[in-house]
Amino acid sequence: MWKYLVKRLLQMAGVLLIVSTIVFFITSVIGNPIYNMLPERAPPEQVEQVRKMLGLDKPLYYQYAIFLRNALRGDFGMSYTHHQPALRLIFSRFPATLEIVIVAMLLTIVIGISGGVYAGAYPRRKLSKGIMGFSILGISLPSFWIGMVFIFFLSVRLGWFPVSGRGETGVFLGIRSSLFTLEGWRHVFLPAFTLAVINIATIIRLIRAGMMETLRQEYIKFARAKGVGEKDILFKHALKNIMIPVVTIFGLQLGELIAFTTITETIYAWPGMGKLLIDSIMNLDRPIVSAYLLFVSVLFVAINFAVDIIYTLIDPRVEL
Amino acid sequence: MKSIPILQRFFASDFFYHYRRSTTAIVSSLMILFVILVAIAGPFLTPQNPYALSNLFLADAFKPPAWLDGGELRFLLGTDQQGRDILSAIVYGSRVSLFIGIAGVFFAATFGILIGLVAGYIGGKVESIIMRIADIQLSFPSMLIALFLMTTFGRSITNILITLTLIGWVRYARVVRGETLSVRKKEYIEASRVIGYSDLYIMVKQVLPNVLNSVIVLSTIQIGTFILLEATLSFLGLGVPPTRPTLGMLCSEGFSVLYSGLWWVSFFPGLYIVFIVFAINLFGDFLRDQLNPRLK
């Protein structure tokens, strides 16, 4: 276990170093942020002054060394447009993103698992065919389009949901979140559902395939023969045994969800870090782009780590 | 004369037998055929060339679809804020979308197969380095990598193709490497080596045909994935340049007028994306079941 932890931490450090190197050298190539900060006809002296201020006049390797040293301290520089430390800005937007990701994940787990188990257990029923049709359709939907359709028909036309924004937040146990107010839930639901649709479709397909394979096995027949109830067979005997690939996919999907918040948040004008990223890309705000990428890299590595730990909990045979 | 036996062989094959008996396979392939025909014949079919500015009249702007109040039969799916016929814009946009999807898969597949063959056949250090890179890349969502690359490269069709290649090679390399590993141990490969065929000859002529089924299945589904990815990038303003709009770009332009009630400007282009990708995914599912049931 300890050996595993050390190995994992070293790997983590390696991945982060690679990512930061790539991020640094590529972001250094993106446009020239100076022209976004100054008026169009700024005098050359002023341009030079801003260059010095941002440290862009130094050679690239020097900039890289500084970047690495500061990144280790969590300092990615001041945002060019917001004039705040980049990482702090991302942290301040993170809770809003986490809200829709968590709700989307819950929707995925509930709808995805029940739909997948049903379609796998009774593949010949009409409802199962319907579920499978939905899931192929689900993976074919562009998420921005689902968002637009929801906004127009459910919010603008029918007025069931607010059009955009985060709405009212409530405080519970010292945490501020829209999940603690009813109005907040009305705002959260559509973005979260939009985010979840593709995931639900993917999970249904995976669980169905796993169930169909497992239900053919001998131990299921044996369980049936000794009179175990259908519900127990499906959820305790079969589902438990396909949990390893399911957890793996959930881990990957969580990463996908975080990536796709960029689109959902843009459509619903949700003030999370995904929208912050897109805005920063448009404004050539390098510090935020690099801070975002390194922050999500840490998240992804942490998710992978959590997935590994969960393996050992699900299946005692797995050794780390 | 040689083509007739091949056709006969195809019609007598298991594949064709299953195809004929599967409604989804027939329907989805007809849908794909429709999409391809529309893309090829597009410019001859549409009532308007949506990119010749001289054809656009502001008086025609904001027309709803023909079946709604104020709609005209000339503009079956309505017009946008510039008086552009949505139906024509969709037909033209689908050409670019399809081109990007197919060309992207072509480059990603070529690159990925090459790397996978080399990794699987040569093995050793080269293999472990390549596969480690693949693992790291796969642990990041491709959407995020694409966003980042397009930000760096700037929006253009060439850059999208480069991005798709850089994202897509991993899956091909993994599948091809896996299959190469299992084929490499077979007796006929040993035999070829003993006879003295070169490594290149063995890889191309004897290993590659064995991995082709998986590549075909993967490529079909990948075309759909790439069309979606491109649409998403273009929607965010990081994909194609405004001069060559794809379906995703049309949605993006329509989004700005969505709140003023002009839903058709973005709704129909998106619906056509769904139609295309749905058809590809349905057919891809059928192909996977037939050609390589293990690939799930």
Side-chain angles (χ1 to χ4, degrees), chain A residues 257-300:
Chain A
L257 279 182
I258 293 171
F260 270 90
T261 52
T262 48
I263 298 143
T264 328
E265 290 178 3
T266 305
I267 292 176
Y268 289 94
W270 187 265
M273 62 174 190
K275 186 166 179 353
L276 181 68
L277 175 74
I278 298 296
D279 293 344
S280 308
I281 286 177
M282 297 304 164
N283 295 326
L284 301 177
D285 201 337
R286 279 185 207 168
I288 294 192
V289 175
S290 354
Y292 177 92
L293 287 171
L294 280 174
F295 179 62
V296 292
S297 309
V298 173
L299 275 185
F300 294 154

Side-chain angles (χ1 to χ4, degrees), chain A residues 7 22 96 101 106 108 159 167 173 188 195 222 235 238 269:
Chain A
K7 201 178 127 197
I22 297 174
V101 168
L106 289 177
T108 309
L173 295 178
V188 169
L195 198 58
F222 176 70
F235 288 94

Side-chain angles (χ1 to χ4, degrees), chain A residues 11 15 18-19 22-23 26-27 29-30 133 136-137 139-145 148-149 151-153 156-157 163-164 205 209 252 255-256 259-260 262-263 266-267 277-278 281-282 289 292-293 296-297 300 304, chain B residues 132 136 138-144 147-149 151-152 228-229 231-233 235-238 247-248 251-252 254-255 258-263 266-271 273-274 277-279 281-282 285 288 296:
Chain A
Q11 265 178 17
V15 169
I18 297 171
V19 172
I22 297 174
V23 165
I26 293 187
T27 43
V29 187
I30 311 178
I136 297 189
L137 184 66
I139 55 169
S140 316
L141 293 171
S143 62
F144 61 85
W145 186 74
M148 289 196 293
V149 171
I151 288 183
F152 187 76
F153 292 100
V156 177
R157 274 281 166 92
V163 171
S164 65
R205 290 162 69 80
L252 287 173
E256 292 281 333
F260 270 90
T262 48
I263 298 143
T266 305
I267 292 176
L277 175 74
I278 298 296
I281 286 177
M282 297 304 164
V289 175
Y292 177 92
L293 287 171
V296 292
S297 309
F300 294 154
N304 278 332
Chain B
R132 186 41 70 78
I136 295 181
L138 273 181
S139 66
F140 285 86
S142 44
M143 177 52 216
L144 213 58
L147 262 183
F148 185 55
L149 290 177
T151 312
T152 316
L228 275 184
L229 191 61
T232 308
L233 289 171
F235 178 79
L236 289 172
L238 289 166
L247 296 169
C251 288
S252 166
F255 183 52
L258 184 68
Y259 293 110
S260 9
L262 279 76
W263 55 272
S266 50
F267 181 78
F268 292 116
L271 194 64
I273 299 180
V274 177
V277 180
F278 186 54
N281 281 337
L282 273 181
D285 248 28
R288 187 184 53 202
K296 282 222 165 170

Side-chain angles (χ1 to χ4, degrees), chain A residues 165-186:
Chain A
R166 193 177 173 200
E168 190 189 336
T169 55
V171 182
F172 182 71
L173 295 178
I175 305 168
R176 175 169 286 282
S177 164
S178 4
L179 300 184
F180 302 132
T181 65
L182 200 63
E183 189 51 35
W185 269 96
R186 280 190 7 128

Side-chain angles (χ1 to χ4, degrees), chain A residues 100-133:
Chain A
I100 52 172
V101 168
I102 287 175
V103 176
M105 208 62 196
L106 289 177
L107 286 171
T108 309
I109 291 172
V110 173
I111 306 177
I113 290 186
S114 46
V117 167
Y118 186 89
Y122 316 106
R124 290 184 184 283
R125 288 197 191 166
K126 276 246 164 60
L127 182 60
S128 302
K129 299 221 161 116
I131 293 175
M132 289 320 287

